[in-house]
């Protein structure tokens, strides 16, 4: 049993807590507001239970000056401490239900993972399956070791059988006269090796001559269209508007073809100087558009065909051919390749400048012919100067290529690959029958037999554990569903079992909600969306309770429950108390942490009702300096008092001489009388009425209103209100806190107020 939480330092809000004056008994109820440190305390006990110091390290006080430290006292004063990042011992008898239990064993993020089902299985099976599980673990370890032994021998043999499976290697027979056969094969390979190497060498390739369509370029440059000017379309359109006939444009287009370009086809008058006729000739000439497109494309064609890169690519190709020819120098004498690129580069640059100038001129006046036949001849001569050194070098490259091809044609071909494969097979066969390999294969046979035996033992032990788990989990499923039913849950689990997929066993189960299966991971409907947060926590609590109650050593366990009502529906409160009573009855100790004082009060009363001799201790997590948390005593009945009873007790304590805050007593007089009147006349006095309004309502009441029976108190109530009202801001704004409280005067009015409550009449 955990007897005391003597000290906690440097962990969350529990920065410097001394709990030596707050003993823990068989039933220990700890109250604390949300965010006051209950979960931190539960985490400390979980860390103690599983021996995981990281849980405490993760909760180190952020702004604290003290290192994490815990001092606990168990039965017979036995100390258990956490210091310097480690526990002095692990106490696995402590079972903790908290958010960490849910996340580790049941679900997180709205899904149930494989790891959570593994952890849940370990928690659920309990000690009855420990021995069987240990046998499975041992058999699994033995099987793995035997498998590793086999794999180690296989790895040692891997270098002896390249390009061949181990099974094929093991079956290889010994080769007679192996060394003599190897020598013969090697002689054949050496003789043929040079032939294959030479045959595989690259042959120099002729340079691809560049091309440039000079005829096409000059064809475009030489195109001209007569009588073209830029205003042709505008002139024609204006004339068509005057004609005001949609068919006029077609008629004009046809008519333009009947003339000879000099005289009008209708009147035979001269039209040489007629601007409108010139406009017709331009507007209806479709060749103009095509000419414009060709002229626009000229510059790109010239740039691509006369760029320096053309010569650079020839230089690179000649360099490649030179390197290829050099590789043959020991076999075929060839003339060196010398490409005189400067003349070619000069010619192509001159040609580029010439053609670019023509293109620019043509772009400026597309309808005018540009360049003459002499220009075409000059351009052709320049291009021939570009090609001349390329043709010259190609002659040399072709000559060298012909010599090399002729040389290769004379070489005999030999299948060296087949000879090399024979050599490799003989070497592998020799290796198979050397003593080292023979010994390894013998050991491998023994190891394989051992691995097969170990695998059978492992399978057998797993089957035994599986049978035990199936029986245990079947009973466990019934317990969980029974709890869920009593909790009023609308879902249940089904198919509770275990499997060994992935090595370590894990629990398997499904959820059924309103006749539909709910997927634990993915799917529709899913665990994430089908269950409310209250349902999910109820499921987790049912898992914990069913496992704990089924534990054969429950009587030695310390069960810690952190906020059992957190996220649970109100209608599950009653059965939660029943479950906690069962845990208390079966365990050595039950520790409950909660933020609801009424639940703790009712739980205490339930414990006392079940067994009045049960030792119960209660204390609370309270606010300390710097917003940290400490332990303090807890009067749960006082904590659960209504405001009326609190005020009544405060006035009685004052009259009985209990020291306290006199101003608080003065402020309590009026609300105590209001509470008395509301209880004496339930439903008759609006809760929104101030005390003065309540007295006025009583004064003005008429029969048959029951309020007339309090009219004998009106004068007394007004006098008490005149005194007590001066301490309230609603009736004395700005001065309520400055009025001095005289104890003797206060006592008089307190006695008068209590006399009204006790006697129903004014004090005389």
């Amino acid at each position: 049993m955990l007897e005391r939480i003597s000290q906690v330092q440097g962990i969350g809000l529990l920065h410097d807590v001394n709990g030596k004056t707050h003993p823990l008994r068989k039933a220990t109820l700890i109250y604390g507001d949300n965010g006051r440190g209950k979960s931190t305390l539960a985490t400390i006990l979980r860390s103690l239970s599983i021996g995981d110091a990281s849980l405490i390290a993760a909760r180190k006080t952020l702004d604290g000056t003290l290192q994490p430290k815990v001092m606990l006292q168990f039965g017979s004063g036995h100390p258990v401490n956490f210091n310097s990042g480690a526990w002095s011992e692990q106490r696995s008898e402590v079972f903790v239900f908290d958010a960490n239990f849910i996340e580790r064993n049941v679900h997180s993020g709205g899904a149930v993972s494989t790891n959570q089902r593994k952890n849940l299985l370990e928690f659920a099976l309990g000690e009855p399956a420990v021995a069987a599980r240990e046998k499975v673990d041992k058999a699994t370890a033995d099987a793995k070791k035997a498998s590793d032994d086999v794999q180690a021998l296989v790895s040692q043999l891997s270098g002896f059988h390249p390009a061949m499976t181990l099974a094929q290697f093991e079956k290889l027979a010994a080769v007679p006269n192996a060394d003599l056969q190897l020598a013969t094969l090697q002689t054949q390979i050496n003789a043929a090796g040079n032939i294959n190497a030479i045959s595989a060498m690259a042959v120099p390739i002729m340079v691809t001559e560049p091309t440039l369509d000079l005829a096409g370029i000059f064809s475009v440059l030489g195109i001209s269209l007569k009588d073209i000017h830029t205003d042709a379309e505008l002139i024609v359109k204006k004339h068509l508007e005057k004609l005001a006939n949609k068919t006029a444009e077609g008629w004009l287009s046809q008519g333009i073809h009947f003339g000879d370009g000099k005289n009008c086809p209708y009147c035979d008058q001269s039209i040489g100087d007629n601007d409108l006729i010139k406009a017709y000739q331009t507007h209806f000439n479709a060749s103009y558009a095509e000419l414009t497109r060709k002229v626009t494309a000229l510059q790109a064609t010239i740039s691509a065909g006369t760029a320096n890169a053309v010569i650079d690519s020839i230089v690179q190709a000649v360099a490649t051919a030179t390197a290829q020819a050099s590789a043959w120098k020991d076999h075929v004498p060839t003339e060196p390749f010398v490409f005189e690129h400067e003349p070619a580069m000069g010619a192509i640059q001159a040609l580029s400048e010439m053609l670019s100038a023509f293109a620019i001129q043509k772009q400026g006046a597309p309808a005018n012919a540009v360049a003459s036949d002499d220009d075409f001849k000059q351009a052709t001569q320049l291009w021939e100067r570009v090609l001349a050194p390329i043709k010259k070098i190609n002659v040399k490259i072709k000559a060298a290529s012909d010599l090399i091809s002729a040389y290769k044609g004379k070489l005999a071909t030999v299948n060296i690959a087949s000879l090399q494969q024979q050599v490799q097979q003989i070497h592998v066969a020799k290796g198979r029958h050397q003593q080292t390999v023979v010994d390894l294969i013998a050991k491998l046979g023994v190891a394989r037999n051992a691995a097969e035996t170990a695998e059978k033992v492992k399978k057998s032990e797993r089957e035994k554990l599986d049978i035990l788990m199936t029986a245990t989990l079947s009973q466990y499923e019934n317990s969980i569903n029974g709890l869920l039913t009593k909790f009023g849950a609308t879902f249940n689990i089904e198919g509770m079992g275990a499997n060994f997929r992935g090595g370590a066993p894990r629990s398997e189960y499904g959820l059924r909600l309103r006749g539909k299966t709910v997927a634990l991971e993915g799917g529709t409907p899913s665990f994430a969306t089908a269950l409310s947060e209250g349902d999910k926590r109820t499921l987790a609590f049912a898992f914990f309770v069913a496992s704990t109650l089924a534990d054969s050593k429950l009587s030695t366990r310390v069960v810690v429950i952190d906020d059992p009502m957190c996220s649970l529906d109100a209608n599950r409160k009653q059965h939660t108390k029943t479950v906690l009573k069962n845990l208390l009855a079966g365990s050595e100790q039950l520790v409950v942490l909660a933020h609801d004082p009424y639940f703790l009060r009712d739980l205490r009363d339930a414990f006392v009702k079940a067994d009045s001799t049960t030792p119960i201790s209660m204390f609370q997590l309270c606010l300390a300096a710097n917003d940290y948390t400490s332990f303090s005593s807890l009067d749960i009945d006082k904590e659960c008092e209504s405001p009326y009873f609190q005020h009544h007790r405060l006035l009685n304590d004052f009259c009985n001489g209990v020291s306290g805050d006199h101003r608080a007593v003065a402020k309590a007089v009026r609300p105590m009388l209001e509470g008395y009147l509301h209880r004496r006349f339930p439903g008759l006095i609006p809760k929104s009425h101030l005390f003065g309004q309540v007295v006025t309502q009583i004064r003005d009441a008429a029969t048959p209103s029951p309020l007339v029976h309090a009219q004998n108190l009106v004068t007394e109530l007004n006098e008490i209100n005149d005194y007590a009202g001066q301490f309230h801001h609603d009736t004395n704004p700005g001065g309520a806190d400055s009025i001095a409280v005289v104890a003797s005067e206060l006592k008089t009015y307190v006695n008068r107020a209590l006399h009204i409550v006790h006697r129903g009449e004014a004090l005389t």
Side-chain angles (χ1 to χ4, degrees):
M1 179 183 291
L2 178 60
E3 295 180 342
R4 274 182 175 78
I5 304 173
S6 303
Q7 187 178 35
V8 181
Q9 289 184 346
I11 306 175
L13 292 179
L14 307 179
H15 184 243
D16 191 7
V17 177
N18 188 327
K20 293 180 180 178
T21 59
H22 301 284
L24 279 70
R25 298 186 175 89
K26 179 175 176 62
T28 298
L29 307 179
I30 304 174
Y31 166 68
D33 291 333
N34 285 328
R36 191 40 54 200
K38 297 188 303 300
S39 296
T40 300
L41 189 57
T43 298
I44 291 172
L45 296 177
R46 172 170 292 282
S47 173
L48 167 71
S49 172
I50 63 178
D52 186 355
S54 67
L55 296 177
I56 290 181
R59 286 184 176 256
K60 184 179 183 299
T61 303
L62 294 177
D63 57 348
T65 57
L66 302 175
Q67 291 300 312
K69 179 181 179 182
V70 181
M71 294 177 62
L72 305 176
Q73 178 182 313
F74 277 80
S76 303
H78 179 73
V80 178
N81 303 323
F82 180 89
N83 206 355
S84 301
W87 286 101
S88 58
E89 61 183 271
Q90 179 181 345
R91 300 301 293 249
S92 57
E93 76 271 21
V94 179
F95 286 3
V96 181
F97 175 78
D98 60 355
N100 187 278
F101 170 85
I102 298 172
E103 185 172 344
R104 176 180 171 82
N105 300 289
V106 184
H107 72 87
S108 62
V112 184
S113 70
T114 298
N115 283 336
Q116 285 161 339
R117 280 180 275 157
K118 287 179 181 178
N119 296 336
L120 178 63
L121 181 68
E122 293 176 2
F123 183 81
L125 289 178
E127 294 191 11
V130 168
R133 177 63 186 274
E134 288 177 351
K135 288 181 179 180
V136 168
D137 289 343
K138 183 179 183 305
T140 301
D142 291 345
K144 184 178 184 306
K145 182 180 181 306
S147 177
D148 290 344
D149 291 343
V150 170
Q151 191 56 47
L153 290 167
V154 169
S155 297
Q156 292 181 56
L157 287 165
S158 61
F160 293 100
H161 58 95
M164 183 180 295
T165 66
L166 179 57
Q168 292 171 329
F169 179 64
E170 291 180 81
K171 295 176 181 178
L172 285 178
V175 177
N177 302 317
D179 292 335
L180 178 59
Q181 291 191 43
L182 286 173
T184 302
L185 288 170
Q186 194 60 51
T187 300
Q188 297 176 27
I189 291 172
N190 291 338
N194 193 45
I195 297 174
N196 284 343
I198 294 173
S199 298
M201 293 167 56
V203 177
I205 301 172
M206 292 174 61
V207 175
T208 302
E209 293 183 9
T211 59
L212 182 63
D213 184 11
L214 287 174
I217 292 173
F218 275 87
S219 173
V220 175
L221 292 174
I223 295 173
S224 68
L225 294 177
K226 297 182 296 178
D227 305 320
I228 295 177
H229 59 81
T230 56
D231 295 330
E233 183 175 355
L234 180 61
I235 293 171
V236 173
K237 292 296 182 184
K238 287 184 176 179
H239 184 64
L240 289 173
E241 289 175 1
K242 290 180 180 179
L243 296 177
N245 191 310
K246 294 182 179 180
T247 62
E249 185 171 359
W251 175 73
L252 289 172
S253 176
Q254 293 174 0
I256 198 68
H257 297 293
F258 292 109
D260 57 2
K262 297 179 181 180
N263 298 309
C264 174
Y266 295 103
C267 63
D268 200 32
Q269 296 184 52
S270 175
I271 58 174
D273 295 326
N274 192 308
D275 290 338
L276 182 59
I277 299 302
K278 291 179 181 179
Y280 289 160
Q281 291 172 340
T282 299
H283 181 75
F284 296 112
N285 191 347
S287 299
Y288 182 74
E290 177 63 18
L291 173 60
T292 302
R293 184 189 65 77
K294 291 180 178 180
V295 170
T296 302
L298 267 182
Q299 188 60 55
T301 302
I302 294 168
S303 297
T306 62
N308 291 342
V310 172
I311 305 303
D312 292 339
S313 66
I314 301 300
V315 172
Q316 181 61 44
V318 172
T320 301
T322 300
Q324 292 169 337
S326 297
W328 290 91
K329 65 182 179 179
D330 295 334
H331 310 287
V332 179
T334 58
E335 293 185 18
F337 306 153
V338 179
F339 175 54
E340 299 174 354
H341 69 282
E342 290 87 356
M345 184 65 79
I348 203 168
Q349 288 176 347
L351 180 60
S352 177
E353 292 172 0
M354 174 185 178
L355 295 179
S356 295
F358 286 147
I360 293 172
Q361 184 180 351
K362 185 67 174 176
Q363 287 175 351
N368 295 333
V370 175
S372 63
D373 292 342
D374 291 338
D375 293 326
F376 177 71
K377 291 178 182 179
Q378 183 183 353
T380 303
Q381 291 170 358
L382 287 172
W383 184 244
E384 288 175 352
R385 285 166 56 190
V386 173
L387 296 180
I390 300 173
K391 294 178 183 295
K392 182 179 177 181
I393 199 68
N394 269 341
V395 171
K396 293 184 178 181
I397 294 174
K398 185 178 186 306
S401 177
D402 290 344
L403 287 174
I404 293 170
S405 297
Y407 176 76
K408 288 178 64 177
K410 297 176 183 178
L411 297 177
T413 57
V414 177
N415 190 349
I416 294 180
S418 176
L419 298 176
Q420 290 175 333
Q421 186 176 7
Q422 294 177 50
V423 169
Q424 184 181 19
Q425 288 176 342
I426 293 173
H427 276 301
V428 173
K430 281 187 66 178
R432 164 65 181 85
H433 292 281
Q434 63 177 300
Q435 193 57 47
T436 301
V437 175
V438 171
D439 292 343
L440 285 173
I441 289 178
K443 291 180 180 178
L444 179 59
V446 174
R448 282 170 172 164
N449 290 334
E452 185 178 352
T453 301
E455 192 62 32
K456 289 180 179 178
V457 172
K458 170 185 166 183
K459 182 179 179 182
S460 174
E461 295 299 338
R462 277 190 172 183
E463 288 174 350
K464 293 177 184 177
L465 177 58
D466 193 30
I467 292 172
L468 178 58
M469 286 191 301
T470 300
T472 302
L473 293 175
S474 175
Q475 180 181 359
Y476 186 53
E477 176 181 342
N478 294 333
S479 300
I480 292 172
N481 284 334
L483 285 166
L484 291 174
T485 298
K486 292 179 180 178
F487 276 130
T490 59
F491 62 93
N492 63 283
I493 64 170
E494 60 181 2
M496 193 75 184
N499 67 58
F500 290 88
R501 289 197 300 270
R506 67 171 183 257
S507 64
E508 288 293 344
Y509 61 92
L511 290 177
R512 197 154 187 83
L513 174 65
R514 295 189 178 94
K516 289 190 176 182
T517 299
V518 177
L520 298 183
E521 294 180 274
T524 303
S526 70
F527 181 87
T529 57
L531 270 64
S532 68
E533 291 306 311
D535 284 339
K536 292 173 186 176
R537 189 172 177 95
T538 299
L539 176 63
F541 192 46
F543 277 141
F544 179 86
V545 172
S547 301
T548 304
L549 289 175
D551 186 4
S552 61
K553 294 187 177 181
L554 178 58
S555 61
T556 66
R557 307 301 190 192
V558 175
V559 181
V560 180
I561 310 290
D562 179 22
D563 246 345
M565 286 302 294
C566 179
S567 297
L568 294 187
D569 298 334
N571 63 341
R572 295 170 183 170
K573 181 176 181 180
Q574 183 59 40
H575 192 62
T576 299
K577 289 190 292 184
T578 300
V579 167
L580 294 176
K581 282 195 298 181
N582 294 338
L583 288 173
L584 175 66
S587 65
E588 181 180 27
Q589 184 179 26
L590 175 66
V591 179
V592 179
L593 301 97
H595 72 282
D596 183 351
Y598 300 97
F599 176 75
L600 288 179
R601 180 196 62 188
D602 295 346
L603 187 61
R604 177 206 60 185
D605 294 344
F607 289 167
V608 171
K609 183 177 181 181
D611 184 355
S612 60
T613 65
T614 300
I616 301 175
S617 64
M618 304 182 76
F619 60 92
Q620 65 179 327
L621 303 176
C622 63
L623 180 67
N626 298 319
D627 199 27
Y628 291 138
T629 293
S630 186
F631 293 167
S632 66
S633 299
L634 172 67
D635 185 337
I636 195 67
D637 294 308
K638 184 184 294 185
E639 191 71 32
C640 295
E641 282 179 343
S642 67
Y644 170 70
F645 283 108
Q646 289 177 359
H647 295 141
H648 194 286
R649 176 177 50 77
L650 188 61
L651 267 60
N652 270 307
D653 287 346
F654 173 72
C655 288
N656 293 330
V658 177
S659 61
D661 183 354
H662 290 175
R663 184 171 298 278
V665 174
K667 289 183 177 182
V669 171
R670 196 172 72 177
M672 190 275 293
L673 287 173
E674 289 175 352
Y676 159 71
L677 293 172
H678 278 290
R679 281 162 177 77
R680 181 175 174 183
F681 304 105
L684 297 180
I685 301 173
K687 292 184 178 181
S688 61
H689 278 193
L690 298 177
F691 188 69
Q693 294 173 309
V694 173
V695 176
T696 300
Q697 184 181 355
I698 293 173
R699 184 198 65 192
D700 297 339
T703 305
S705 172
L707 292 178
V708 299
H709 300 298
Q711 288 177 342
N712 64 316
L713 301 174
V714 168
T715 301
E716 182 72 352
L717 291 173
N718 279 328
E719 290 181 6
I720 295 175
N721 186 36
D722 288 342
Y723 170 77
Q726 62 185 333
F727 301 106
H728 290 269
H729 291 283
D730 59 342
T731 50
N732 186 18
D737 296 330
S738 62
I739 299 296
V741 181
V742 179
S744 58
E745 182 183 30
L746 174 62
K747 187 171 184 179
T748 298
Y749 282 96
V750 169
N751 283 331
R752 291 171 67 177
L754 289 174
H755 189 81
I756 290 174
V757 173
H758 295 157
R759 299 288 186 89
E761 60 185 24
L763 179 64
T764 57

